[in-house]
Amino acid sequence: MVKIKTVISLIFIFFSFSALASNNIRIIRDAEIEFFLQKIIDSITKNIDNNNQTFYPRLIFKDEYNAFVTGSNNIYINTGLIKRASSISEIQGVIAHEIGHLVLNHHSSRLINRNTNTNYATIAAIAGVALSMSNKLNSDAAAGLIIGSNDLATKSYLQFTRIQEQQADKFALDIMRKAKISYDGLENLLIRLSEEEFLNKSMTSKFYRSHPYSKKRLNQLQNYKKESLDYDISNEEISINDNVISLEYINNKIKSYNSDPFEILNNSKIENKFLRAYSKTIAYFKVGKFDLAMESLNNINNLKNYPFFYELQGDIYFAKSDFNNAISNYEKSINLLVKDYDVHADLIKLSLAKTYIHTNNFKKINNSILILEELLRKTPKWIFLWRLLAKASGKINKKEISFIALAEVALIKKNFKKAKKYVRLAFKYPELTYEYRLRGKDILFRIEEKK
């Protein structure tokens, strides 16, 4: 029973999602899926003139066809959009529209009804259910990077005018032409939405309700398409190290992690042998049959230098408590990513840091501290990282760092009394480094500022 609980928890490190029950929002954080979506975003943003912004995908486990932005640098994408998309170019079209809202700064003029919103404002500062060191699921131990309540709160009162929707459409069409992205996918989407609107308005998706006038927008696209018959279409494949990541594969992955593993193992309806074998790998992993999971993965692992299979092997070895092999695979995965896609290695670095801690080896635990410090420089409000840092530093008798880390946790949770207490305990250690002493002083300053 303990092992099964451990396996279930470990799965969330590889494919973590959060359930915000009151609003039915589950945030998925997965290095491979985010890499796939980031490449789609990059295919658009690299063609925007004078653009210094970097946008990041955030995947929401929700079956409705939708995507939205809130004014931050995150683009929220429902799994339903990926599931129902007929092509990558369709997703590119939808995301190009959302980027249009951000580039055109529409959000700054549409922040309305702020005072009437209460649903999202009460969400915890870190949205996420994930693995804690005690193998329990809780909202503080987010395996995914932070998604703040303010960002999601903005979504609930952010409304764009129809003029702004048309402007975002125009932006998307222009940038797609410049990026040599086919209009066919976006056209197929608008045809589907127009048919839904015609057949039964009650059946229209949330995408239609938040992006009105499908028929009119379809006519606009088709007219634009007639005027743009002379532009070449680029290859829409997403790849890494010469390995193609298909839309079908990403869909299959999402489904595999969110389906009953026993149904997958007893079902041979998936026609594609590769996808069927991958689904069984995940199913074996979820039910604790790690050797069969590894065997199944090895049978299909004919991809050259594919980092995310090394990541999955690392997860399986971790579940088996074979930490040395887990470390080896995580390191291979990271090394294949950091050259050009460092941001997508962060979740795998978290897995590596956790594995280092489990070895109880002084040098490896010290390495985990270095990784956690690197991640915290990027996401300083990620409670789970601070708790891991407290645990790791405590294991090698660096209690002064543990106290500062626990002070940061208390501050984020607005427990100012406890935060002050931990800072004072840390300051009693003369070996506290200048950097952490400065952080402790900053915590005290922020407490006074909050007051």
Side-chain angles (χ1 to χ4, degrees):
M1 188 65 177
V2 172
K3 196 163 190 177
I4 291 296
K5 287 183 178 179
T6 302
V7 174
I8 292 171
S9 298
L10 287 167
I11 289 169
F12 281 79
I13 280 292
F14 180 72
F15 195 84
S16 60
F17 62 85
S18 63
L20 305 181
S22 61
N23 296 289
N24 195 26
I25 291 179
R26 291 188 289 172
I27 307 296
I28 296 174
R29 297 305 312 275
D30 175 81
E32 185 175 32
I33 298 174
E34 287 189 7
F35 173 86
F36 175 83
L37 293 172
Q38 189 70 58
K39 292 277 277 187
I40 290 177
I41 292 171
D42 292 346
S43 71
I44 298 161
T45 56
K46 70 182 181 182
N47 293 282
I48 302 173
D49 296 329
N50 303 317
N51 177 55
N52 296 320
Q53 292 176 284
T54 302
F55 303 112
Y56 300 106
R58 292 293 179 263
L59 190 65
I60 294 178
F61 187 74
K62 200 171 182 65
D63 203 40
E64 292 164 339
Y65 190 108
N66 204 12
F68 64 90
V69 292
T70 63
S72 70
N73 62 346
N74 291 332
I75 299 173
Y76 295 95
I77 301 159
N78 282 8
T79 52
L81 188 154
I82 297 174
K83 178 181 177 181
R84 292 181 59 192
S86 58
S87 64
I88 289 175
S89 64
E90 181 176 328
I91 300 175
Q92 286 173 309
V94 173
I95 291 179
H97 174 95
E98 299 305 328
I99 290 174
H101 283 307
L102 295 174
V103 172
L104 298 172
N105 206 29
H106 287 163
H107 58 278
S108 63
S109 64
R110 304 309 303 162
L111 299 184
I112 61 175
N113 299 331
R114 181 185 295 267
N115 294 331
T116 61
N117 174 65
T118 57
N119 290 336
Y120 288 95
T122 57
I123 295 174
I126 291 182
V129 174
L131 177 66
S132 70
M133 295 306 294
S134 60
N135 294 323
K136 294 180 181 179
L137 299 178
N138 61 75
S139 60
D140 292 331
L145 303 184
I146 183 170
I147 298 179
S149 60
N150 290 338
D151 204 17
L152 290 177
T154 303
K155 190 253 182 187
S156 64
Y157 52 73
L158 184 64
Q159 299 175 13
F160 297 124
T161 66
R162 288 167 183 166
I163 294 296
Q164 287 173 328
E165 293 292 354
Q166 290 173 359
Q167 290 172 340
D169 276 347
K170 179 66 165 55
F171 174 91
L173 294 173
D174 286 340
I175 205 65
M176 288 173 72
R177 186 176 191 275
K178 191 172 183 179
K180 299 181 179 180
I181 297 171
S182 171
Y183 292 139
D184 291 346
L186 192 56
E187 183 178 23
N188 289 336
L189 161 65
L190 291 175
I191 289 172
R192 292 202 310 270
L193 293 176
S194 297
E195 289 173 350
E196 284 184 0
E197 177 186 358
F198 177 76
L199 292 172
N200 189 342
K201 286 191 175 183
S202 66
M203 292 174 60
T204 56
S205 70
K206 280 194 175 181
F207 182 87
Y208 169 72
R209 290 198 294 272
S210 60
H211 301 76
Y213 292 120
S214 297
K215 186 66 176 177
K216 183 176 181 180
R217 299 169 80 190
L218 175 61
N219 292 336
Q220 178 188 2
L221 182 148
Q222 290 174 334
N223 290 333
Y224 203 91
K225 189 177 178 181
K226 289 177 184 177
E227 298 170 2
S228 307
L229 294 176
D230 58 334
Y231 82 101
D232 297 326
I233 305 299
S234 63
N235 190 334
E236 68 172 24
E237 283 185 348
I238 305 297
S239 63
I240 182 170
N241 300 332
D242 297 323
N243 301 302
V244 175
I245 308 175
S246 70
L247 178 59
E248 185 182 17
Y249 168 75
I250 293 297
N251 262 320
N252 184 68
K253 177 174 185 174
I254 293 171
K255 184 178 180 180
S256 298
Y257 273 100
N258 290 281
S259 299
D260 184 331
F262 295 104
E263 286 185 7
I264 292 174
L265 294 173
N266 295 323
N267 183 3
S268 58
K269 289 183 180 179
I270 303 175
E271 294 181 4
N272 186 302
K273 291 182 179 179
F274 177 89
L275 297 182
R276 183 166 67 246
Y278 183 85
S279 293
K280 287 191 173 182
T281 299
I282 303 308
Y284 284 133
F285 184 25
K286 289 174 72 173
V287 299
K289 295 184 178 181
F290 306 127
D291 290 334
L292 288 175
M294 190 67 73
E295 181 183 339
S296 179
L297 182 61
N298 288 334
N299 287 337
I300 62 173
N301 193 4
N302 56 358
L303 303 181
K304 183 181 178 182
N305 294 327
Y306 191 63
F308 305 109
F309 274 12
Y310 286 117
E311 180 197 13
L312 180 51
Q313 286 183 160
D315 291 338
I316 296 171
Y317 278 122
F318 185 96
K320 293 177 65 177
S321 298
D322 186 345
F323 301 127
N324 288 331
N325 273 320
I327 288 169
S328 175
N329 278 278
Y330 287 141
E331 288 176 343
K332 285 178 184 176
S333 179
I334 291 166
N335 289 335
L336 288 167
L337 279 170
V338 292
K339 184 178 178 181
D340 300 310
Y341 310 103
D342 183 62
V343 66
H344 303 291
D346 285 349
L347 293 175
I348 306 172
K349 286 179 181 178
L350 169 60
S351 297
L352 179 60
K354 287 177 62 63
T355 310
Y356 280 151
I357 294 172
H358 275 76
T359 64
N360 292 321
N361 176 283
F362 183 93
K363 184 177 179 180
K364 286 184 169 63
I365 293 174
N366 199 57
N367 287 340
S368 77
I369 291 175
L370 296 176
I371 292 173
L372 292 169
E373 288 174 340
E374 175 195 342
L375 296 177
L376 281 164
R377 281 191 287 272
K378 300 177 184 178
T379 52
K381 292 185 179 180
W382 190 357
I383 286 181
F384 186 45
L385 290 183
W386 287 116
R387 286 183 168 164
L388 277 182
L389 180 61
K391 183 179 183 68
S393 52
K395 274 197 165 192
I396 57 175
N397 206 30
K398 292 187 176 181
K399 293 182 180 179
E400 68 280 6
I401 297 178
S402 287
F403 286 132
I404 293 295
L406 291 172
E408 287 283 5
V409 172
L411 181 64
I412 294 169
K413 298 178 76 173
K414 297 185 179 181
N415 190 333
F416 302 139
K417 185 177 179 180
K418 187 177 282 188
K420 216 180 238 189
K421 171 190 168 184
Y422 283 130
V423 171
R424 287 170 180 165
L425 286 170
F427 281 176
K428 291 180 180 180
Y429 289 79
E431 60 267 37
L432 184 67
T433 65
Y434 174 77
E435 181 184 354
Y436 278 101
R437 191 171 294 275
L438 199 62
R439 181 169 285 281
K441 289 180 180 179
D442 181 61
I443 291 171
L444 296 176
F445 175 78
R446 281 183 282 164
I447 289 172
E448 292 304 316
E449 196 177 47
K450 295 285 186 183
K451 288 181 179 179

